[in-house]
DNA sequence: AAGTGACTATGATTTGTATCATATCCGGAA
DNA sequence: TTCCGGATATGATACAAATCATAGTCACTT
């Protein structure tokens, strides 16, 4: 990809929106581009963290595995979003694994380059703080949900959270939905089947569409509608 | 508290360690001091977030409540640590409630003051990024634990996490331990009783001391030792 | 057109843990 | 001292959800 095209991508990205063309060009010189096929791993939990990444095209999921080997999807990220940044700012190895969902192209920036760049560009640092703050808020909210709510509510909340980010049609399998909600595929299927019967959602293979957000929200908050 | 004393407190705090005396004095002028008795609430989830805080003396817990009213302790913070910052950086209301554990004094800094100060002091922004990154890492790790592990493992991990932060003696009741692990008081008591029998921990009213960290770690990772 | 594998579906059974119920222990207050 | 409330303890029961098992469905390959 040409330098100017890379600059364009960075410019679109929320965290770099404050930069002018000269600064973008400066940053672009530090980037390397990488391409991955679907289901490929970009890095594994525990790998040395030299780079942090921004998605140019495609979609990735961030996963942690529990002692039994069961994976839990911490987050999905799409075009313009950064990932792998926590390790970089903390000088530790990656705390989770990153796997592509579809064909994906990413820009990587070396840790040292980025840290020094950050030091000279306070607005970018503030953007990063804002992004991290938002993610922290999400993580803590989900933490409460995962331990305090029952499976039906957890699934409803996961769907609503995803919908607020990417619209009413969610491109996920029940398997993925389950892995994001801390439950099993079977339970996810049972719950979504019931929701489908009640006309709250619509499903096709690998996709879920929320039809009645109000009812779903109600369900996510209280005891099941009888 | 006198201005110089406040400055001293800020200087001790990790996030402001990069500031010189003049900058500290500047920051100190923005602070207000507040005092709370044990179990008092500093703010509630949903309150408008005007201030973020740094603890001068005492200890606080950050709590979120699920729809059923059950509280989940997201974090404990002690002297020199900041809290309530996520809301400030995101221009939203507080995402959780903060309650003191013991007599506690805190310094508050108004949102706008702090944001403009940050813009002019990049090293402080980098510190904050680092702190937020660490907290995000913790939250995501706990997220995985809470959904992927059984109660015994969750409790073991919570204890180990706390021990790594504050030493082998943990000043918490089983109730609090349960609320940090997403389980009930009864279950926490049952598990800790078993651990006590096996000599892995020692307990006195309101306190738990880890005697055999190795065994506890083993337990936290795998199936129960038969 | 047939084969393959991932996804969806559903029933039967098991199990971990919450819930409910009581009881004892301990420290501080009166 | 006695009283009292929070903390600890323990048994009985209920239940949500995991697990195990089996099968149907759809998309894509050869």
């Amino acid at each position: 990809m040409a330098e100017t095209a890379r600059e364009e991508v960075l410019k679109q990205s929320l965290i770099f929106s404050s930069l002018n063309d000269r600064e973008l060009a400066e940053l672009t010189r530090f980037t390397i581009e990488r391409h991955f096929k679907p289901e490929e791993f970009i890095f594994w939990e525990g790998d040395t963290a030299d780079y942090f990444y921004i998605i140019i095209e495609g979609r990735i999921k961030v996963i942690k595995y529990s002692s039994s080997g069961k994976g839990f999807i911490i987050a999905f990220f799409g075009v313009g979003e950064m990932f792998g940044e926590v390790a970089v700012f903390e000088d530790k190895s990656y705390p989770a694994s990153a796997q592509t969902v579809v064909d994906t192209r990413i820009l990587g920036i070396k840790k040292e380059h980025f840290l020094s760049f950050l030091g000279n560009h306070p607005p970018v640092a503030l953007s990063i703080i804002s992004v991290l703050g938002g993610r922290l808020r999400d993580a803590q909210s989900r933490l409460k949900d995962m331990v305090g709510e029952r499976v039906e509510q957890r699934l409803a909340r996961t769907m609503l959270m995803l919908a607020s980010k990417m619209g009413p049609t969610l491109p996920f399998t029940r398997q993925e939905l389950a892995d994001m909600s801390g439950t099993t595929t079977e339970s996810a299927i049972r719950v979504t089947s019931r929701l489908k019967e009640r006309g709250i959602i619509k499903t096709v293979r690998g996709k879920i569409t929320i039809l009645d957000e109000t009812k779903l929200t109600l369900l996510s908050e209280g005891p099941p509608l009888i």
Side-chain angles (χ1 to χ4, degrees), chain A:
Chain A
M1 190 186 247
E3 291 248 324
T4 50
R6 288 193 196 178
E7 273 182 53
E8 206 44 52
V9 170
L10 292 178
K11 198 175 197 167
Q12 305 292 330
S13 180
L14 181 65
I15 46 177
F16 298 120
S17 53
S18 60
L19 298 178
N20 61 36
D21 289 346
R22 193 185 50 71
E23 293 166 321
L24 277 172
E26 182 192 343
L27 184 62
T28 303
R29 268 188 284 113
F30 296 136
T31 61
I32 58 152
E33 190 178 333
R34 300 179 67 190
H35 177 261
F36 294 88
K37 288 197 269 292
E39 309 297 323
E40 263 191 289
F41 278 85
I42 297 166
F43 54 74
W44 288 87
E45 177 169 354
D47 284 358
T48 309
D50 298 323
Y51 288 88
F52 97 110
Y53 298 101
I54 291 166
I55 300 177
I56 304 174
E57 188 193 336
R59 206 152 58 87
I60 69 119
K61 52 187 172 186
V62 178
I63 310 169
K64 275 182 90 81
Y65 295 89
S66 63
S67 59
S68 64
K70 194 171 166 351
F72 177 76
I73 299 177
I74 290 174
F76 274 87
F77 292 120
V79 174
E81 292 188 294
M82 67 172 176
F83 65 97
E85 77 292 335
V86 175
V88 165
F89 298 132
E90 268 225 304
D91 204 21
K92 297 218 173 120
S93 57
Y94 291 114
S97 308
Q99 186 183 18
T100 60
V101 178
V102 293
D103 257 35
T104 301
R105 285 183 305 137
I106 59 180
L107 282 184
I109 303 180
K110 242 204 169 88
K111 180 159 78 173
E112 309 83 61
H113 291 148
F114 192 58
L115 286 177
S116 66
F117 185 86
L118 260 192
N120 299 322
H121 298 83
V124 175
L126 289 183
S127 295
I128 299 231
I129 286 176
S130 172
V131 170
L132 289 182
R135 290 187 186 175
L136 185 56
R137 175 196 286 266
D138 283 356
Q140 293 176 341
S141 179
R142 288 181 75 194
L143 202 43
K144 173 213 62 170
D145 290 346
M146 291 302 127
V147 300
E149 311 290 347
R150 278 172 303 118
V151 164
E152 192 169 38
Q153 269 90 347
R154 298 214 299 268
L155 285 164
R157 280 169 192 236
T158 301
M159 285 188 267
L160 288 168
M161 183 266 288
L162 292 168
S164 76
K165 201 182 152 191
M166 51 206 295
T169 296
L170 311 173
F172 301 104
T173 63
R174 314 305 160 85
Q175 160 101 264
E176 288 173 319
L177 193 63
D179 288 347
M180 279 185 273
S181 307
T183 183
T184 58
T185 309
E186 293 97 318
S187 291
I189 288 172
R190 276 183 242 269
V191 170
T192 50
S193 296
R194 283 210 303 279
L195 294 179
K196 190 165 65 172
E197 275 166 29
R198 293 191 215 158
I200 297 174
I201 62 171
K202 190 177 70 178
T203 70
V204 293
R205 196 183 187 75
K207 266 188 205 158
I208 298 166
T209 304
I210 297 176
L211 298 175
D212 191 335
E213 193 171 327
T214 313
K215 270 194 190 156
L216 192 58
T217 304
L218 218 66
L219 189 69
S220 79
E221 283 168 354
L225 306 164
I226 300 101

PDB file of all heavy atoms in Angstrom, chain A residues 44-63:
ATOM      1  N   TRP A  44      -0.063 -14.253  19.877  1.00  0.00           N
ATOM      2  CA  TRP A  44      -0.610 -15.089  20.933  1.00  0.00           C
ATOM      3  C   TRP A  44      -0.348 -14.452  22.283  1.00  0.00           C
ATOM      4  O   TRP A  44       0.644 -13.736  22.460  1.00  0.00           O
ATOM      5  CB  TRP A  44       0.034 -16.464  20.899  1.00  0.00           C
ATOM      6  CG  TRP A  44      -0.398 -17.312  19.743  1.00  0.00           C
ATOM      7  CD1 TRP A  44       0.152 -17.324  18.490  1.00  0.00           C
ATOM      8  CD2 TRP A  44      -1.465 -18.276  19.730  1.00  0.00           C
ATOM      9  NE1 TRP A  44      -0.508 -18.233  17.700  1.00  0.00           N
ATOM     10  CE2 TRP A  44      -1.489 -18.832  18.427  1.00  0.00           C
ATOM     11  CE3 TRP A  44      -2.382 -18.716  20.684  1.00  0.00           C
ATOM     12  CZ2 TRP A  44      -2.427 -19.816  18.066  1.00  0.00           C
ATOM     13  CZ3 TRP A  44      -3.300 -19.693  20.324  1.00  0.00           C
ATOM     14  CH2 TRP A  44      -3.316 -20.231  19.033  1.00  0.00           C
ATOM     15  N   GLU A  45      -1.231 -14.743  23.200  1.00  0.00           N
ATOM     16  CA  GLU A  45      -1.022 -14.305  24.574  1.00  0.00           C
ATOM     17  C   GLU A  45       0.360 -14.778  25.023  1.00  0.00           C
ATOM     18  O   GLU A  45       0.721 -15.932  24.822  1.00  0.00           O
ATOM     19  CB  GLU A  45      -2.116 -14.921  25.475  1.00  0.00           C
ATOM     20  CG  GLU A  45      -1.930 -14.584  26.939  1.00  0.00           C
ATOM     21  CD  GLU A  45      -3.153 -14.971  27.771  1.00  0.00           C
ATOM     22  OE1 GLU A  45      -4.176 -15.391  27.193  1.00  0.00           O
ATOM     23  OE2 GLU A  45      -3.073 -14.838  29.001  1.00  0.00           O
ATOM     24  N   GLY A  46       1.118 -13.866  25.595  1.00  0.00           N
ATOM     25  CA  GLY A  46       2.439 -14.226  26.081  1.00  0.00           C
ATOM     26  C   GLY A  46       3.560 -13.851  25.123  1.00  0.00           C
ATOM     27  O   GLY A  46       4.725 -13.771  25.525  1.00  0.00           O
ATOM     28  N   ASP A  47       3.230 -13.600  23.852  1.00  0.00           N
ATOM     29  CA  ASP A  47       4.246 -13.161  22.901  1.00  0.00           C
ATOM     30  C   ASP A  47       4.847 -11.826  23.339  1.00  0.00           C
ATOM     31  O   ASP A  47       4.166 -11.002  23.943  1.00  0.00           O
ATOM     32  CB  ASP A  47       3.638 -12.952  21.502  1.00  0.00           C
ATOM     33  CG  ASP A  47       3.367 -14.266  20.771  1.00  0.00           C
ATOM     34  OD1 ASP A  47       3.684 -15.321  21.336  1.00  0.00           O
ATOM     35  OD2 ASP A  47       2.836 -14.208  19.647  1.00  0.00           O
ATOM     36  N   THR A  48       6.105 -11.630  23.011  1.00  0.00           N
ATOM     37  CA  THR A  48       6.723 -10.336  23.275  1.00  0.00           C
ATOM     38  C   THR A  48       6.006  -9.264  22.470  1.00  0.00           C
ATOM     39  O   THR A  48       5.774  -9.438  21.279  1.00  0.00           O
ATOM     40  CB  THR A  48       8.204 -10.353  22.846  1.00  0.00           C
ATOM     41  OG1 THR A  48       8.821 -11.495  23.444  1.00  0.00           O
ATOM     42  CG2 THR A  48       8.913  -9.087  23.299  1.00  0.00           C
ATOM     43  N   ALA A  49       5.672  -8.160  23.138  1.00  0.00           N
ATOM     44  CA  ALA A  49       4.882  -7.121  22.481  1.00  0.00           C
ATOM     45  C   ALA A  49       5.776  -6.025  21.916  1.00  0.00           C
ATOM     46  O   ALA A  49       6.158  -5.110  22.635  1.00  0.00           O
ATOM     47  CB  ALA A  49       3.860  -6.545  23.457  1.00  0.00           C
ATOM     48  N   ASP A  50       6.105  -6.106  20.639  1.00  0.00           N
ATOM     49  CA  ASP A  50       6.932  -5.089  20.011  1.00  0.00           C
ATOM     50  C   ASP A  50       6.092  -4.066  19.268  1.00  0.00           C
ATOM     51  O   ASP A  50       6.491  -2.928  19.110  1.00  0.00           O
ATOM     52  CB  ASP A  50       7.888  -5.740  18.996  1.00  0.00           C
ATOM     53  CG  ASP A  50       8.823  -6.712  19.671  1.00  0.00           C
ATOM     54  OD1 ASP A  50       9.232  -6.414  20.808  1.00  0.00           O
ATOM     55  OD2 ASP A  50       9.119  -7.765  19.087  1.00  0.00           O
ATOM     56  N   TYR A  51       4.942  -4.515  18.791  1.00  0.00           N
ATOM     57  CA  TYR A  51       4.116  -3.657  17.964  1.00  0.00           C
ATOM     58  C   TYR A  51       2.722  -3.483  18.541  1.00  0.00           C
ATOM     59  O   TYR A  51       2.240  -4.341  19.274  1.00  0.00           O
ATOM     60  CB  TYR A  51       3.938  -4.283  16.572  1.00  0.00           C
ATOM     61  CG  TYR A  51       5.166  -4.242  15.718  1.00  0.00           C
ATOM     62  CD1 TYR A  51       6.107  -5.266  15.776  1.00  0.00           C
ATOM     63  CD2 TYR A  51       5.381  -3.184  14.857  1.00  0.00           C
ATOM     64  CE1 TYR A  51       7.244  -5.238  14.992  1.00  0.00           C
ATOM     65  CE2 TYR A  51       6.516  -3.148  14.063  1.00  0.00           C
ATOM     66  CZ  TYR A  51       7.447  -4.174  14.128  1.00  0.00           C
ATOM     67  OH  TYR A  51       8.561  -4.132  13.338  1.00  0.00           O
ATOM     68  N   PHE A  52       2.109  -2.360  18.182  1.00  0.00           N
ATOM     69  CA  PHE A  52       0.680  -2.290  18.374  1.00  0.00           C
ATOM     70  C   PHE A  52       0.082  -2.037  16.993  1.00  0.00           C
ATOM     71  O   PHE A  52       0.795  -1.629  16.073  1.00  0.00           O
ATOM     72  CB  PHE A  52       0.307  -1.229  19.416  1.00  0.00           C
ATOM     73  CG  PHE A  52      -0.091   0.086  18.863  1.00  0.00           C
ATOM     74  CD1 PHE A  52      -1.406   0.522  18.949  1.00  0.00           C
ATOM     75  CD2 PHE A  52       0.837   0.901  18.252  1.00  0.00           C
ATOM     76  CE1 PHE A  52      -1.777   1.743  18.434  1.00  0.00           C
ATOM     77  CE2 PHE A  52       0.475   2.117  17.735  1.00  0.00           C
ATOM     78  CZ  PHE A  52      -0.842   2.547  17.831  1.00  0.00           C
ATOM     79  N   TYR A  53      -1.195  -2.330  16.817  1.00  0.00           N
ATOM     80  CA  TYR A  53      -1.752  -2.394  15.466  1.00  0.00           C
ATOM     81  C   TYR A  53      -3.008  -1.564  15.269  1.00  0.00           C
ATOM     82  O   TYR A  53      -3.755  -1.298  16.209  1.00  0.00           O
ATOM     83  CB  TYR A  53      -2.075  -3.841  15.115  1.00  0.00           C
ATOM     84  CG  TYR A  53      -0.865  -4.744  15.100  1.00  0.00           C
ATOM     85  CD1 TYR A  53      -0.597  -5.591  16.173  1.00  0.00           C
ATOM     86  CD2 TYR A  53       0.008  -4.745  14.027  1.00  0.00           C
ATOM     87  CE1 TYR A  53       0.525  -6.427  16.166  1.00  0.00           C
ATOM     88  CE2 TYR A  53       1.120  -5.559  14.013  1.00  0.00           C
ATOM     89  CZ  TYR A  53       1.370  -6.400  15.078  1.00  0.00           C
ATOM     90  OH  TYR A  53       2.481  -7.202  15.067  1.00  0.00           O
ATOM     91  N   ILE A  54      -3.209  -1.198  14.019  1.00  0.00           N
ATOM     92  CA  ILE A  54      -4.435  -0.527  13.618  1.00  0.00           C
ATOM     93  C   ILE A  54      -4.980  -1.268  12.402  1.00  0.00           C
ATOM     94  O   ILE A  54      -4.217  -1.633  11.495  1.00  0.00           O
ATOM     95  CB  ILE A  54      -4.153   0.944  13.263  1.00  0.00           C
ATOM     96  CG1 ILE A  54      -3.790   1.697  14.536  1.00  0.00           C
ATOM     97  CG2 ILE A  54      -5.352   1.578  12.594  1.00  0.00           C
ATOM     98  CD1 ILE A  54      -3.183   3.027  14.293  1.00  0.00           C
ATOM     99  N   ILE A  55      -6.272  -1.515  12.398  1.00  0.00           N
ATOM    100  CA  ILE A  55      -6.866  -2.297  11.322  1.00  0.00           C
ATOM    101  C   ILE A  55      -7.161  -1.419  10.106  1.00  0.00           C
ATOM    102  O   ILE A  55      -7.798  -0.374  10.223  1.00  0.00           O
ATOM    103  CB  ILE A  55      -8.166  -2.974  11.795  1.00  0.00           C
ATOM    104  CG1 ILE A  55      -7.862  -3.902  12.970  1.00  0.00           C
ATOM    105  CG2 ILE A  55      -8.822  -3.752  10.653  1.00  0.00           C
ATOM    106  CD1 ILE A  55      -9.080  -4.557  13.569  1.00  0.00           C
ATOM    107  N   ILE A  56      -6.641  -1.830   8.955  1.00  0.00           N
ATOM    108  CA  ILE A  56      -6.900  -1.119   7.700  1.00  0.00           C
ATOM    109  C   ILE A  56      -8.151  -1.687   7.050  1.00  0.00           C
ATOM    110  O   ILE A  56      -8.979  -0.984   6.500  1.00  0.00           O
ATOM    111  CB  ILE A  56      -5.733  -1.305   6.705  1.00  0.00           C
ATOM    112  CG1 ILE A  56      -4.414  -0.874   7.313  1.00  0.00           C
ATOM    113  CG2 ILE A  56      -6.014  -0.532   5.436  1.00  0.00           C
ATOM    114  CD1 ILE A  56      -3.242  -1.184   6.422  1.00  0.00           C
ATOM    115  N   GLU A  57      -8.234  -3.025   7.120  1.00  0.00           N
ATOM    116  CA  GLU A  57      -9.332  -3.695   6.433  1.00  0.00           C
ATOM    117  C   GLU A  57      -9.565  -5.030   7.108  1.00  0.00           C
ATOM    118  O   GLU A  57      -8.616  -5.731   7.441  1.00  0.00           O
ATOM    119  CB  GLU A  57      -8.937  -3.925   4.963  1.00  0.00           C
ATOM    120  CG  GLU A  57     -10.067  -4.436   4.098  1.00  0.00           C
ATOM    121  CD  GLU A  57      -9.538  -4.951   2.754  1.00  0.00           C
ATOM    122  OE1 GLU A  57      -8.451  -4.521   2.339  1.00  0.00           O
ATOM    123  OE2 GLU A  57     -10.217  -5.804   2.159  1.00  0.00           O
ATOM    124  N   GLY A  58     -10.819  -5.369   7.361  1.00  0.00           N
ATOM    125  CA  GLY A  58     -11.132  -6.668   7.947  1.00  0.00           C
ATOM    126  C   GLY A  58     -11.626  -6.555   9.379  1.00  0.00           C
ATOM    127  O   GLY A  58     -12.090  -5.502   9.810  1.00  0.00           O
ATOM    128  N   ARG A  59     -11.512  -7.669  10.090  1.00  0.00           N
ATOM    129  CA  ARG A  59     -12.027  -7.700  11.442  1.00  0.00           C
ATOM    130  C   ARG A  59     -11.251  -8.735  12.246  1.00  0.00           C
ATOM    131  O   ARG A  59     -10.868  -9.777  11.723  1.00  0.00           O
ATOM    132  CB  ARG A  59     -13.530  -8.076  11.410  1.00  0.00           C
ATOM    133  CG  ARG A  59     -14.336  -7.588  12.558  1.00  0.00           C
ATOM    134  CD  ARG A  59     -15.806  -7.389  12.133  1.00  0.00           C
ATOM    135  NE  ARG A  59     -16.389  -8.596  11.618  1.00  0.00           N
ATOM    136  CZ  ARG A  59     -16.977  -9.518  12.398  1.00  0.00           C
ATOM    137  NH1 ARG A  59     -17.068  -9.327  13.689  1.00  0.00           N
ATOM    138  NH2 ARG A  59     -17.484 -10.596  11.874  1.00  0.00           N
ATOM    139  N   ILE A  60     -11.003  -8.430  13.524  1.00  0.00           N
ATOM    140  CA  ILE A  60     -10.257  -9.383  14.349  1.00  0.00           C
ATOM    141  C   ILE A  60     -10.977  -9.575  15.683  1.00  0.00           C
ATOM    142  O   ILE A  60     -11.803  -8.765  16.082  1.00  0.00           O
ATOM    143  CB  ILE A  60      -8.820  -8.895  14.619  1.00  0.00           C
ATOM    144  CG1 ILE A  60      -8.836  -7.655  15.545  1.00  0.00           C
ATOM    145  CG2 ILE A  60      -8.072  -8.562  13.351  1.00  0.00           C
ATOM    146  CD1 ILE A  60      -8.111  -7.866  16.829  1.00  0.00           C
ATOM    147  N   LYS A  61     -10.646 -10.679  16.347  1.00  0.00           N
ATOM    148  CA  LYS A  61     -11.164 -10.877  17.686  1.00  0.00           C
ATOM    149  C   LYS A  61     -10.015 -11.092  18.660  1.00  0.00           C
ATOM    150  O   LYS A  61      -8.985 -11.660  18.299  1.00  0.00           O
ATOM    151  CB  LYS A  61     -12.151 -12.044  17.744  1.00  0.00           C
ATOM    152  CG  LYS A  61     -11.678 -13.358  17.177  1.00  0.00           C
ATOM    153  CD  LYS A  61     -12.846 -14.368  17.163  1.00  0.00           C
ATOM    154  CE  LYS A  61     -12.456 -15.647  16.418  1.00  0.00           C
ATOM    155  NZ  LYS A  61     -13.592 -16.577  16.266  1.00  0.00           N
ATOM    156  N   VAL A  62     -10.200 -10.597  19.876  1.00  0.00           N
ATOM    157  CA  VAL A  62      -9.190 -10.734  20.919  1.00  0.00           C
ATOM    158  C   VAL A  62      -9.694 -11.773  21.913  1.00  0.00           C
ATOM    159  O   VAL A  62     -10.809 -11.666  22.415  1.00  0.00           O
ATOM    160  CB  VAL A  62      -8.944  -9.397  21.622  1.00  0.00           C
ATOM    161  CG1 VAL A  62      -7.935  -9.544  22.742  1.00  0.00           C
ATOM    162  CG2 VAL A  62      -8.476  -8.363  20.618  1.00  0.00           C
ATOM    163  N   ILE A  63      -8.876 -12.781  22.161  1.00  0.00           N
ATOM    164  CA  ILE A  63      -9.312 -13.937  22.939  1.00  0.00           C
ATOM    165  C   ILE A  63      -8.374 -14.239  24.094  1.00  0.00           C
ATOM    166  O   ILE A  63      -7.165 -14.094  23.964  1.00  0.00           O
ATOM    167  CB  ILE A  63      -9.339 -15.192  22.037  1.00  0.00           C
ATOM    168  CG1 ILE A  63     -10.101 -14.912  20.753  1.00  0.00           C
ATOM    169  CG2 ILE A  63      -9.933 -16.375  22.779  1.00  0.00           C
ATOM    170  CD1 ILE A  63      -9.929 -16.001  19.731  1.00  0.00           C
TER     171      ILE A  63
END
